[in-house]
Amino acid sequence: MKEKEFEVPQFVGRLQHEEEMRDDDRKIIDIGNGRNRRSFREQEKKVVKQKKSSKVYKIKTRAIVLLIAFGFSAGVGAKDVYDKVAPIVKVYVQNSADDANLADWFENFNVTNDGYFLENNIQGKNDGSGGAEPYDWDNPDNLTVTEEGNKVGAIVDYYNGFDGYLKASTGIGYYETVYTQMQRLVSIGKDPNSVDSLYTYEELTEILGKDKSKGMGVN
Amino acid sequence: MNNYEEVITLDNEDFLIVSKMNYEGKNYLYVNSLVNESDYSILEEYEKDGKTLVKSIDHDKYELLMNLFTKKLINDNN
């Protein structure tokens, strides 16, 4: 137990941190509705797993309900969130000779000034019918640009369930690629929130210098 | 079906990890106290000296991350 007392560098650092964070650190902030937001200084993450209990379920359900309530009451609408964080990825291609399919698909999107973004159902249509994806991400040979200079943009709600989808076998390919794509755009100095970051498949392949045969030209 | 929940102990108080999220390459946790159900926090996870540490997020990130967690939980719950 003595050893912890001699972690001098960390302790000094922590003192400085405390000074800087004094107003916000370790505070219990009453945010109303009987809820308190807690703050913590750095500490080791030690996760234990315990069997689910009715209490845990109760808390989890309550937390979800309250989160939803806060989300709607925070006065920050979905569009504002998208403006701040959503990456424009690319739907610079469409299914071959299937404009009707694409148009139908886009009816399920919310249209913004920047183009389109997926509402909440990327794997299938929002009407619950399932529906095939209009894009074959893994086979760029099947994809054609709608017309020269016509770049179709998609602001993908990548964070909405992103983590969960990554863990699901059906979602790995799509979301992982989308997220990687976004990061690569950033890495080459492009703003993923800008319509200037919309590219055709060919353009993106050229920019990133990747092998077209590996899907989306970015692998 | 996973029959176990992950719990993290913060300042000797158990918190249920309700949700996890990766944003801009950083992992964030939304946790809720198992002692006082009204207490919750959003934590940032990071590596230091080979250990995984967590700390509360900066105040200016709170609104954004809260909204992201809200959307994620809505989505997960659907």
Side-chain angles (χ1 to χ4, degrees):
Chain A
M1 302 304 289
K2 285 274 185 183
E3 292 178 3
K4 288 188 177 179
E5 297 177 13
F6 292 100
E7 293 177 351
V8 176
Q10 289 185 20
F11 186 60
V12 172
R14 181 167 294 180
L15 278 180
Q16 293 171 343
H17 180 70
E18 281 182 5
E19 190 66 22
E20 294 169 0
M21 299 289 290
R22 187 164 49 190
D23 290 337
D24 194 46
D25 203 11
R26 291 181 63 85
K27 282 178 70 174
I28 300 178
I29 303 168
D30 182 357
I31 63 167
N33 297 324
R35 297 280 286 168
N36 301 311
R37 176 156 62 91
R38 296 277 298 270
S39 292
F40 298 95
R41 285 194 292 269
E42 70 173 30
Q43 51 191 297
E44 188 170 359
K45 178 190 176 189
K46 292 182 177 177
V47 174
V48 296
K49 292 189 177 182
Q50 68 177 37
K51 202 160 188 176
K52 288 180 178 176
S53 66
S54 58
K55 183 179 181 183
V56 170
Y57 280 125
K58 180 183 173 187
I59 289 176
K60 191 166 184 177
T61 302
R62 182 177 177 183
I64 290 170
V65 170
L66 287 167
L67 264 175
I68 292 171
F70 291 147
F72 287 122
S73 65
V76 180
K79 180 61 169 62
D80 295 326
V81 176
Y82 285 121
D83 285 345
K84 291 175 183 174
V85 301
I88 294 174
V89 188
K90 38 64 278 238
V91 186
Y92 36 81
V93 288
Q94 73 168 84
N95 208 358
S96 57
D98 197 350
D99 289 339
N101 185 21
L102 185 68
D104 180 52
W105 180 258
F106 276 172
E107 284 182 359
N108 294 318
F109 294 3
N110 282 348
V111 180
T112 73
N113 291 333
D114 295 335
Y116 305 87
F117 64 85
L118 308 181
E119 177 57 39
N120 57 24
N121 189 339
I122 293 173
Q123 300 299 324
K125 295 179 180 178
N126 284 341
D127 61 6
S129 63
E133 274 191 283
Y135 316 114
D136 183 353
W137 303 102
D138 296 323
N139 187 0
D141 291 337
N142 283 341
L143 305 172
T144 56
V145 178
T146 52
E147 60 186 71
E148 188 66 29
N150 183 10
K151 302 168 185 176
V152 183
I155 302 174
V156 176
D157 186 7
Y158 75 94
Y159 54 80
N160 191 356
F162 170 69
D163 191 47
Y165 272 104
L166 268 185
K167 294 173 183 173
S169 58
T170 54
I172 289 174
Y174 182 83
Y175 274 95
E176 199 166 52
T177 308
V178 164
Y179 188 64
T180 302
Q181 173 81 345
M182 179 198 71
Q183 290 182 318
R184 281 177 168 149
L185 282 174
V186 172
S187 72
I188 61 173
K190 302 295 183 182
D191 177 7
N193 277 323
S194 168
V195 291
D196 294 334
S197 291
L198 299 182
Y199 300 101
T200 65
Y201 172 79
E202 298 295 342
E203 287 172 334
L204 201 65
T205 300
E206 184 176 346
I207 291 171
L208 298 174
K210 302 298 178 181
D211 184 357
K212 179 180 178 180
S213 67
K214 291 184 178 179
M216 296 180 65
V218 295
N219 290 323
Chain B
M1 191 71 177
N2 179 13
N3 289 318
Y4 290 89
E5 294 283 1
E6 292 187 342
V7 173
I8 185 171
T9 303
L10 303 169
D11 292 348
N12 298 318
E13 183 175 339
D14 286 346
F15 282 76
L16 172 70
I17 299 178
V18 177
S19 185
K20 303 175 185 177
M21 179 176 62
N22 184 289
Y23 173 62
E24 290 187 336
K26 293 182 179 177
N27 292 326
Y28 295 96
L29 310 174
Y30 177 88
V31 299
N32 205 103
S33 173
L34 288 170
V35 178
N36 182 348
E37 295 178 18
S38 298
D39 288 359
Y40 74 98
S41 187
I42 297 176
L43 305 171
E44 178 184 327
E45 183 182 301
Y46 59 103
E47 300 288 329
K48 184 177 178 182
D49 300 330
K51 293 181 179 178
T52 302
L53 305 179
V54 291
K55 66 178 179 181
S56 290
I57 58 173
D58 295 337
H59 182 71
D60 57 359
K61 289 182 180 176
Y62 169 76
E63 184 182 28
L64 171 63
L65 288 168
M66 193 64 182
N67 275 282
L68 296 182
F69 269 117
T70 301
K71 289 175 65 64
K72 182 178 185 303
L73 284 169
I74 292 172
N75 186 65
D76 291 346
N77 231 18
N78 286 334

